[in-house]
Amino acid sequence: MQKFDAIRPYYDTEINAAICEVLHHPMMKALMNFTFPDVADEVWKEQLKKTHSIRDFQCNFIYHSVQQVLRNSAEGLSTSGFEKLEPNTAYLFISNHRDIILDTSLLNAALFEHGLVMTASAIGDNLVKKSFLKSLSRMNRNFLVQRGLPPRELLQSSKLMSEYIARLLRRENRSVWIAQREGRTKDGNDATHPGVLKMLAMGAGDDHQLHYFKKARIVPVAISYEYDPTDALKMPQLLAEANNEKYIKEKNEDFMTLLSGIMGQKKRIHIHIGKTLDTEIDDILAETDNTNKQIQALAQKIDDSIISNYRLWPTNFIAYDLLNQSAAFTHKYTDSEKQLFERRLELRIDANDPNQLQSFLAMYANPVFNKLKYGTIE
């Protein structure tokens, strides 16, 4: 067994055999029938049998799946900042995280459309426990983040992943996507966890950690959904945390969240690609030689980019005004948009429960609170 075999995606040499192994799986049929509703099964099966690389699988199949998701459950994907990226160049995309599958799938669709290097993307192994999903994730260039390990094994796992990410960036010229924190943001507060950066720094080898990060070309990514398709599913965990209770996931909760993210209504979506962190890293080096403070300062630079470039929607301003019982942002939404949001709220939570109401509104309102700190709302 090779060093990275436990976490890596398939190699191109393995793709065809992996596809043939799941070709007749009912979940593959469901995915392809969703993607190509007017195409006979034998047609897409023959095309899959001719697929011999991850890029071909992504461009000829997964890209079209993403377009179908957008047609069925969104009102368009807009992007900004991609013109700042160079072709044939690997970047370390550090992103806020809202949806298990779509965040990376939408980013890669946009990278493909702009002729840029697509990413290898981190995914928690808890999300791909079903053998088909694990195989599909490996076909789609996901690498595994091992969850729920005891401290010593967690350290070894982090070191392995950091070395793999460094290999992708340095030796394979492959861009990498990783979330700014473990798990999705449930409450709308996007913040980079220093532990993620410390893990990445373990791959620096003989390099100083900030020199390594500069060579890695860190690009902060801000993704925002007008409606969070999993908003109601996030409520039990938010309520447990509000009551200082330990939250235990239901058996198939991750899988249901995954499906809801794909199928649930999202309305508009925006991805902003931030400026590659370069002179910002020089500034940190000039300010402090304390490694922990450097990590904290870098996390703050990433947060500054994500929050200031996060696209706010009418839903965010409506939630802010409802939460504060104010009319501060009535110029940012229409009466019909407010009525639609209030209707969604009534359908998805018990609006008579003050804790549920508070948590649901805060999920949408917190990006406004955070942006106000930067003074970036017109």
Side-chain angles (χ1 to χ4, degrees):
M1 188 172 176
Q2 298 297 307
K3 184 173 188 179
F4 302 113
D5 281 359
I7 63 169
R8 67 169 175 81
Y10 289 122
Y11 295 130
D12 282 346
T13 52
E14 300 168 324
I15 275 287
N16 189 257
I19 287 172
C20 290
E21 198 172 302
V22 297
L23 190 64
H24 302 290
H25 194 287
M27 289 179 80
M28 180 62 90
K29 176 177 168 59
L31 175 62
M32 291 299 133
N33 288 166
F34 169 80
T35 305
F36 305 112
D38 302 320
V39 175
D41 287 4
E42 288 313 309
V43 174
W44 57 256
K45 282 181 181 177
E46 284 305 309
Q47 287 301 113
L48 279 171
K49 285 179 191 174
K50 297 174 187 172
T51 300
H52 291 271
S53 72
I54 286 182
R55 182 178 175 81
D56 282 353
F57 180 67
Q58 288 182 311
C59 298
N60 296 331
F61 298 94
I62 298 301
Y63 174 78
H64 296 285
S65 302
V66 172
Q67 298 309 309
Q68 194 73 321
V69 168
L70 290 173
R71 278 191 290 271
N72 287 1
S73 63
E75 291 180 10
L77 168 67
S78 56
T79 62
S80 53
F82 282 85
E83 71 282 352
K84 297 192 285 273
L85 301 177
E86 297 289 334
N88 306 313
T89 304
Y91 295 94
L92 174 54
F93 294 105
I94 300 183
S95 176
N96 66 331
H97 191 20
R98 288 290 191 277
D99 186 85
I100 294 167
I101 298 295
L102 284 182
D103 291 357
T104 54
S105 299
L106 293 169
L107 173 64
N108 275 315
L111 289 169
F112 171 57
E113 288 173 356
H114 285 85
L116 299 162
V117 175
M118 291 187 285
T119 70
S121 303
I123 190 168
D125 63 359
N126 57 304
L127 303 171
V128 290
K129 286 180 178 173
K130 296 178 187 293
S131 61
F132 173 80
L133 290 179
K134 185 174 182 179
S135 186
L136 183 64
S137 71
R138 295 184 71 198
M139 290 178 206
N140 203 30
R141 204 176 265 119
N142 289 115
F143 59 91
L144 296 180
V145 181
Q146 296 168 310
R147 302 272 197 230
L149 298 175
R152 181 175 290 186
E153 288 179 39
L154 181 63
L155 182 64
Q156 291 170 340
S157 173
S158 296
K159 192 168 189 319
L160 183 72
M161 185 164 64
S162 69
E163 288 175 8
Y164 182 64
I165 289 170
R167 177 194 173 108
L168 289 168
L169 292 166
R170 288 173 155 178
R171 291 176 52 184
E172 298 185 21
N173 197 38
R174 171 62 55 194
S175 290
V176 171
W177 177 96
I178 193 164
Q180 65 181 162
R181 46 169 287 172
E182 182 179 321
R184 292 165 301 133
T185 303
K186 310 291 193 305
D187 61 3
N189 281 316
D190 295 313
T192 303
H193 196 288
V196 171
L197 298 179
K198 287 177 182 176
M199 179 278 292
L200 291 167
M202 292 168 82
D206 296 330
D207 265 353
H208 182 284
Q209 63 179 13
L210 287 187
H211 293 155
Y212 168 65
F213 282 133
K214 191 166 179 175
K215 290 176 191 172
R217 291 183 285 267
I218 293 175
V219 175
V221 179
I223 185 164
S224 63
Y225 299 80
E226 188 166 7
Y227 277 111
D228 182 339
T230 61
D231 49 17
L233 295 175
K234 292 175 179 176
M235 293 302 297
Q237 184 171 347
L238 288 172
L239 291 170
E241 289 169 359
N243 294 323
N244 293 317
E245 296 169 357
K246 184 175 172 60
Y247 179 69
I248 313 277
K249 284 184 180 179
E250 297 289 339
K251 185 181 177 186
N252 278 322
E253 185 172 328
D254 287 327
F255 183 60
M256 294 309 296
T257 299
L258 186 151
L259 284 181
S260 296
I262 293 169
M263 307 308 293
Q265 285 299 316
K266 293 162 271 288
K267 291 198 81 175
R268 291 171 291 182
I269 309 165
H270 187 79
I271 300 175
H272 179 84
I273 297 296
K275 173 183 173 292
T276 305
L277 298 185
D278 184 69
T279 54
E280 295 82 356
I281 292 176
D282 294 335
D283 292 343
I284 295 169
L285 270 166
E287 286 164 13
T288 179
D289 55 7
N290 180 292
T291 54
N292 280 332
K293 287 182 178 176
Q294 287 175 347
I295 289 287
Q296 289 167 357
L298 182 57
Q300 188 60 58
K301 297 286 186 188
I302 294 166
D303 290 350
D304 291 348
S305 176
I306 289 173
I307 292 169
S308 59
N309 291 303
Y310 185 95
R311 171 72 59 88
L312 293 173
W313 303 106
T315 49
N316 301 115
F317 295 114
I318 293 163
Y320 180 93
D321 278 352
L322 289 172
L323 194 60
N324 292 291
Q325 298 181 320
S326 73
F329 291 109
T330 50
H331 60 292
K332 293 286 189 180
Y333 54 85
T334 65
D335 286 341
S336 62
E337 284 171 331
K338 185 179 181 183
Q339 287 167 8
L340 195 64
F341 182 80
E342 289 176 324
R343 178 68 178 143
R344 181 184 181 90
L345 190 154
E346 289 165 4
L347 288 171
R348 295 176 84 81
I349 65 162
D350 178 3
N352 294 316
D353 180 332
N355 289 335
Q356 283 196 40
L357 184 61
Q358 167 85 17
S359 295
F360 190 89
L361 291 176
M363 188 191 307
Y364 283 95
N366 280 333
V368 180
F369 283 107
N370 293 331
K371 224 167 168 63
L372 283 170
K373 295 172 191 171
Y374 288 78
T376 51
I377 298 177
E378 296 170 2

